[in-house]
Amino acid sequence: MRSLLQHSIVKYAVVGLLGTALHFTLLAALVEWAGFHPVAGSVLGFTVVLAVSFVLNKQWTFQETENGKQAGYRQFMRYSIVSGSGLCLNTLIMYAAVEWLHLPYLLGQVLVTVVVPVQNYLFNRNWTFR
């Protein structure tokens, strides 16, 4: 089990599961209790998870070794660009699911969860934290 947790894809998946749980929790709370539109709730949840997952991925998944403020700033900017593209994809999928296909918003978020993490992992592994 320990050697399995040494692989970045497994670590990324663990961070992703935590982020997904947080995202779904925030989405449901914002829609059900705060009256947000599902797309807006998903965007806000995504934004919160961005900060949490950056720290976890930097420190644990990719075990970043670059030192200095400049390196950290550059990585955060790259991570933000990757996450921004993920956010656009998230928003597009949620909008299509809720507004065009009239699916329940949580099912729309499941579709997001299938597509966006794969794209984000590939870009983060090969560009942000290479």
Side-chain angles (χ1 to χ4, degrees), residues 31-52:
V31 171
E32 300 300 328
W33 295 333
F36 276 62
H37 187 278
V39 175
S42 184
V43 167
L44 187 56
F46 188 100
T47 305
V48 170
V49 171
L50 167 95
V52 173

Side-chain angles (χ1 to χ4, degrees), residues 47-79:
T47 305
V48 170
V49 171
L50 167 95
V52 173
S53 62
F54 173 76
V55 172
L56 291 174
N57 280 317
K58 180 177 174 57
Q59 298 299 319
W60 186 57
T61 304
F62 300 107
Q63 296 180 352
E64 181 47 45
T65 58
E66 279 189 85
N67 295 321
K69 288 182 181 179
Q70 191 70 2
Y73 175 77
R74 181 175 56 247
Q75 283 181 327
F76 184 73
M77 292 309 298
R78 287 181 177 183
Y79 193 84

Side-chain angles (χ1 to χ4, degrees), residues 73-119:
Y73 175 77
R74 181 175 56 247
Q75 283 181 327
F76 184 73
M77 292 309 298
R78 287 181 177 183
Y79 193 84
S80 295
I81 290 168
V82 170
S83 294
S85 69
L87 177 59
C88 290
L89 194 53
N90 175 98
T91 304
L92 178 63
I93 293 169
M94 278 298 286
Y95 185 84
V98 171
E99 298 296 332
W100 295 343
L101 301 174
H102 305 289
L103 296 174
Y105 72 91
L106 290 176
L107 183 55
Q109 193 62 46
V110 167
L111 295 173
V112 166
T113 303
V114 170
V115 175
V116 174
V118 172
Q119 175 219 297

